[in-house]
Amino acid sequence: MIQAIRNREERGMEMLLKQYGPLMRYILTPLLPDERDREECLQDAALKAWNGIGSFDEGRGSWNAWLTSIVRNTALNRQRAEKRRQAQELPEEAEAPGPTPEEEALRHDRQEMLLKVLEKLPRKERLLFYRKYYYGQSTAQIAAELGSSERSVEGKLYRVRKKLQEMLEGEGYER
Amino acid sequence: MNAEKETMLQNEADFDAYLHDAVPDQVADDISSAVNPWKQALSEILIGTALSFFTLRFLFLDLILPALGFGLALRGWFRLREQNKAFRTGWILMLVRTAVFLFTLFMDVSIYSVSDWLGGRGDTAVGILTGLLLLAQLFCLRNGLDQVMHEACQDSSWQAVSWLILCYLLILFAGFIRLNGLLALAVIVPFVLCLVRVGKLSEKMDPAGYVIAPKTGRVTAGGVTKCYVAALLLCCAIPFLFLNRFPMDWQKQQEVRSEEAREIHKQLTYMGFPKERLEDLPEEELLACRTAESVMVSSHSWNDLSVDSVAVVLSEKPRIWKVFYFFRLSEDSWHGGTEALEIDPDRQFDAGIVLAEDPHGAVLYRKGEENFSAPITRIRKEQYTSVPLNGMGTAGTTQTSWFAEFSWPRKGENVRGWVSLTVEDPYKMVVFEWENAEYIIQEHYLGGLTFIHQTGRLQFPARSARTARTGGGSYFPEIPFRTMNVSGYFFPRPQTVTVPAETEN
């Protein structure tokens, strides 16, 4: 499939939508509650994957992880645009303004710091963190998929947050 | 106070926003592959099925692995039960399988066997049921996976499960014809390979797994696991604590005897029947000895246990003996658990000695001034193959014996008992031959008795003394049991002798 996309063959796009449609919808569902939004976003994300196939390097990460980040970013952009549109009453076609260079630099620093402390967490806790903050899954969804109760997931998430807070304070994070 | 709380909540909200903002843009490979709604459930089903299948009799692994396997499979099927009809049926079958497993575990941990509760062929019936349930479940797995793949618009990939079913059928057949050793291993190997293949296939099927949407309810997979663990612990603890001895029907012993019985008692005493032992016999046993011609006695003892063997010659033509085995335990011995007497009148020389009636007997004890007695709990004939130590090595020999099983009273003095049997033609001529010589035992031979005595409580799973002897369910066959062989030689009066006991261990 990847080769077919690289060769710009049409069947590559068909395969992408057929094989990875369920994964893309799975990522989109918690981020975009509206089904029409999701379907539009899925098409956008598939197009981005098609256009951006050159940036996919198997040596740097799996296809799954790469596609996941494309789908997630597309959904987040859509989310942000929607919020800004609602706040500023912009026309539907208007693009959301991106972050300033300062904001981007600050975010980059925060990401570096968080990534550093996340590596110190046990795998199970890391997974829980990513489900909540990366995939944007609800406590109910996490509980259903992990076979626990919502209360137990909330408790675990609370402990993960506390742990991260302590570790980040050690790295310079201030309340 | 409220202000403090508000600040704290604000801090938490700020930190939450911080985490949302600072989360990395790209997820690591291990995380992206693990976040899949069915991955864990499918792994649990596959690993659980594999583990529940193994009966590796080593270091309790035949209990631990299936127990773990059922727990995992139960979780997996529970999670997938809402996805389609096949998975729902699989979940119901899993519940039935678990119930059957817990029942067999309960029985295995107690001194009883499944056949004791369900009749002679109970073991076989449960074995067949277990096999069929798993087979049906594998079909459900295949159909369930097929439906998920279809739902995800992907090509069906259930060939591996089909292979798994085929291998499992082979294993069922091997079990049916009681295949063992290397051949049995040869059948299990492809089954395991198939499981590995299905595991790999499940990775390929990961993209389809995203269509799965586990539902949350009041009962969670964690809750199911907790219930299962509780049931498992109960199924181990209850039989271990409460089903480790036979219930005995203790009755106050009747002292009144008829005139005829008193006369026979006198005659037998004169012939050399130990008087003390005669007191333990009920009237009908005495009356059965009314034609007594002579009495032969031999005594054996071993630490806290002693056995007096008494043969009453009832008739010479045809030759009929009534043989009594009297056994007693010293006062300071342990009274718990179960005891068994293995009676094999034909054991040593296979001389064709016939029992005229089934053995029977009683256990007695004294409490204050009163004597209590109870019939031997169970006397039955059993064919068994002696199992090599810890299930390793080659199979042993097959033999048929009578087993008399009972439990001592929990408290009491002078605990003792007897078993009697009537033997026809006990004087079979036995000839030993060797180079240029021969030695003939022509008289007064009778096959022997093995006393299997439980010496302590520490055993898991709990086994009866008979099971410890016949080898079923034993990891360490002789712990906590001791076997004592009583040889079956009788000598005519007045040559009453004491023969030292032969012990196996």
Side-chain angles (χ1 to χ4, degrees):
Chain A
M1 181 198 72
I2 298 167
Q3 201 49 50
I5 298 175
R6 281 195 170 127
N7 294 342
R8 319 313 285 171
E9 292 171 32
E10 236 177 72
R11 66 183 182 96
M13 178 59 104
E14 280 169 26
M15 285 161 83
L16 171 68
L17 289 171
K18 189 181 170 194
Q19 282 184 29
Y20 288 91
L23 164 68
M24 291 156 91
R25 284 191 185 88
Y26 174 78
I27 296 159
L28 291 172
T29 304
L31 302 172
L32 301 172
D34 183 66
E35 199 178 338
R36 209 187 63 175
D37 263 5
R38 275 205 300 271
E39 284 309 308
E40 281 176 14
C41 190
L42 188 138
Q43 300 298 328
D44 286 353
L47 203 62
K48 277 190 185 172
W50 172 270
N51 291 331
I53 191 74
S55 67
F56 170 61
D57 177 4
E58 280 173 42
R60 285 173 58 195
S62 69
W63 168 260
N64 248 25
W66 184 78
L67 186 63
T68 300
S69 70
I70 284 188
V71 176
R72 180 180 174 268
N73 287 339
T74 312
L76 289 180
N77 282 341
R78 200 179 180 85
Q79 228 179 31
R80 275 194 286 266
E82 185 60 33
K83 274 182 193 166
R84 284 179 185 168
R85 252 196 302 274
Q86 279 171 3
Q88 299 167 11
E89 292 183 356
L90 289 174
E92 202 168 306
E93 306 79 42
E95 278 286 313
T100 61
E102 290 79 18
E103 281 173 341
E104 198 52 52
L106 181 68
R107 192 165 162 264
H108 183 75
D109 287 348
R110 285 174 170 183
Q111 279 181 334
E112 293 270 300
M113 198 162 41
L114 184 60
L115 203 60
K116 203 170 149 189
V117 294
L118 275 174
E119 275 166 18
K120 292 177 191 163
L121 284 185
R123 189 170 178 270
K124 270 191 171 179
E125 292 183 353
R126 218 156 18 106
L127 257 171
L128 197 64
F129 171 84
Y130 274 102
R131 276 181 180 275
K132 176 75 183 169
Y133 293 97
Y134 186 85
Y135 288 87
Q137 293 178 350
S138 65
T139 315
Q141 186 185 353
I142 300 173
E145 288 188 19
L146 296 182
S148 327
S149 64
E150 286 187 44
R151 211 173 151 182
S152 149
V153 171
E154 275 166 11
K156 282 177 191 165
L157 274 170
Y158 177 78
R159 284 191 289 277
V160 169
R161 268 197 299 265
K162 281 278 157 215
K163 225 185 226 187
L164 283 175
Q165 202 167 359
E166 280 166 22
M167 288 197 280
L168 284 168
E169 275 167 5
E171 297 284 330
Y173 166 77
E174 283 174 22
R175 288 183 198 197
Chain B
M1 196 69 179
N2 277 344
E4 249 178 56
K5 200 176 173 184
E6 265 175 37
T7 316
M8 205 177 81
L9 286 173
Q10 186 56 45
N11 283 342
E12 275 182 25
D14 287 348
F15 186 63
D16 209 46
Y18 172 90
L19 290 178
H20 272 292
D21 187 52
V23 69
D25 287 330
Q26 188 150 358
V27 69
D29 288 355
D30 66 322
I31 302 288
S32 78
S33 66
V35 179
N36 185 323
W38 87 344
K39 199 179 181 77
Q40 204 173 341
L42 201 60
S43 310
E44 282 170 352
I45 289 178
L46 293 171
I47 296 169
T49 306
L51 291 181
S52 66
F53 197 75
F54 283 101
T55 50
L56 200 62
R57 283 182 52 164
F58 176 67
L59 291 176
F60 300 99
L61 288 179
D62 59 337
L63 290 178
I64 296 167
L65 292 184
L68 198 65
F70 271 88
L72 283 175
L74 205 60
R75 275 177 72 96
W77 283 104
F78 175 80
R79 287 169 189 223
L80 294 183
R81 76 193 188 289
E82 298 287 348
Q83 297 312 311
N84 55 49
K85 207 175 162 190
F87 281 141
R88 193 158 45 249
T89 313
W91 160 244
I92 293 166
L93 287 172
M94 189 67 225
L95 283 178
V96 181
R97 278 186 67 212
T98 309
V100 174
F101 166 69
L102 289 174
F103 170 71
T104 47
L105 179 75
F106 184 89
M107 298 310 296
D108 285 347
V109 173
S110 78
I111 55 168
Y112 298 98
S113 70
V114 172
S115 296
D116 290 333
W117 281 24
L118 297 182
R121 302 204 168 192
D123 278 320
T124 317
V126 169
I128 291 172
L129 178 69
T130 307
L132 290 178
L133 283 171
L134 180 55
L135 190 62
Q137 214 184 20
L138 288 175
F139 274 105
C140 288
L141 179 64
R142 196 191 77 164
N143 293 345
L145 290 180
D146 202 22
Q147 281 183 44
V148 170
M149 300 299 280
H150 182 74
E151 213 177 306
C153 303
Q154 301 202 5
D155 301 329
S156 179
S157 310
W158 45 259
Q159 294 91 333
V161 186
S162 299
W163 274 105
L164 197 66
I165 292 170
L166 191 71
C167 286
Y168 182 63
L169 282 173
L170 253 173
I171 292 167
L172 280 185
F173 177 71
F176 182 72
I177 60 168
R178 294 185 185 281
L179 203 67
N180 55 24
L182 281 176
L183 278 174
L185 199 68
V187 175
I188 290 172
V189 167
F191 182 79
V192 177
L193 289 178
C194 275
L195 279 175
V196 172
R197 199 174 158 191
V198 174
K200 282 186 179 161
L201 188 81
S202 81
E203 279 172 26
K204 280 188 190 166
M205 290 195 291
D206 274 355
Y210 293 105
V211 297
I212 295 276
K215 290 182 180 62
T216 182
R218 286 177 68 185
V219 183
T220 62
V224 170
T225 309
K226 279 176 195 161
C227 288
Y228 169 73
V229 171
L232 194 70
L233 291 176
L234 284 177
C235 284
C236 289
I238 291 175
F240 178 68
L241 294 172
F242 305 110
L243 294 178
N244 55 16
R245 51 185 294 129
F246 295 117
M248 301 292 286
D249 182 20
W250 296 110
Q251 302 286 340
K252 208 180 281 182
Q253 208 182 4
Q254 296 298 323
E255 298 290 337
V256 187
R257 278 187 176 147
S258 66
E259 187 61 39
E260 188 188 3
R262 281 205 294 272
E263 189 55 38
I264 295 168
H265 182 285
K266 204 184 288 176
Q267 278 177 16
L268 288 174
T269 314
Y270 177 74
M271 287 176 190
F273 204 119
K275 197 175 174 225
E276 234 180 277
R277 306 280 81 84
L278 265 178
E279 301 300 332
D280 291 341
L281 293 179
E283 172 137 342
E284 56 272 22
E285 291 299 314
L286 288 174
L287 294 178
C289 298
R290 59 167 67 87
T291 58
E293 292 179 10
S294 61
V295 169
M296 291 168 283
V297 181
S298 64
S299 298
H300 309 78
S301 62
W302 175 256
N303 293 347
D304 51 350
L305 191 73
S306 60
V307 176
D308 291 334
S309 310
V310 181
V312 178
V313 179
L314 298 180
S315 154
E316 276 297 333
K317 278 183 184 173
R319 284 168 169 165
I320 300 173
W321 287 8
K322 189 155 181 72
V323 181
F324 295 93
Y325 293 109
F326 293 95
F327 43 88
R328 58 186 185 280
L329 205 60
S330 65
E331 298 297 326
D332 56 346
S333 297
W334 191 70
H335 288 193
T338 64
E339 307 284 311
L341 276 87
E342 183 187 4
I343 304 155
D344 182 8
D346 225 7
R347 183 169 57 197
Q348 290 180 23
F349 303 108
D350 197 19
I353 293 166
V354 178
L355 290 189
E357 58 172 355
D358 289 357
H360 54 277
V363 187
L364 303 96
Y365 73 97
R366 198 176 65 229
K367 191 177 177 185
E369 292 302 308
E370 287 176 323
N371 274 313
F372 291 85
S373 74
I376 294 276
T377 312
R378 190 160 58 184
I379 299 189
R380 65 179 179 192
K381 207 171 189 178
E382 186 172 321
Q383 188 181 53
Y384 70 96
T385 304
S386 54
V387 174
L389 194 67
N390 293 344
M392 317 245 313
T394 54
T397 53
T398 301
Q399 67 181 80
T400 306
S401 297
W402 283 90
F403 280 93
E405 295 177 89
F406 62 93
S407 287
W408 298 117
R410 284 182 195 278
K411 278 182 182 174
E413 300 159 25
N414 192 17
V415 290
R416 62 207 189 274
W418 57 269
V419 166
S420 92
L421 50 149
T422 308
V423 188
E424 284 181 6
D425 209 5
Y427 293 175
K428 287 283 181 185
M429 188 172 79
V430 180
V431 181
F432 293 94
E433 283 183 278
W434 62 92
E435 239 179 284
N436 305 323
E438 69 175 30
Y439 176 69
I440 301 172
I441 294 179
Q442 200 171 357
E443 284 193 343
H444 308 136
Y445 163 72
L446 187 76
L449 175 90
T450 303
F451 200 110
I452 304 112
H453 172 50
Q454 188 168 340
T455 53
R457 178 187 280 274
L458 276 181
Q459 59 156 344
F460 185 87
R463 288 167 301 145
S464 67
R466 176 185 58 82
T467 321
R469 175 68 173 174
T470 55
S474 62
Y475 299 97
F476 313 103
E478 299 300 332
I479 298 173
F481 295 95
R482 201 176 64 214
T483 53
M484 185 177 95
N485 281 338
V486 177
S487 55
Y489 294 94
F490 287 100
F491 300 89
R493 206 176 157 243
Q495 281 180 281
T496 301
V497 293
T498 298
V499 182
E502 301 162 13
T503 54
E504 285 190 349
N505 295 288

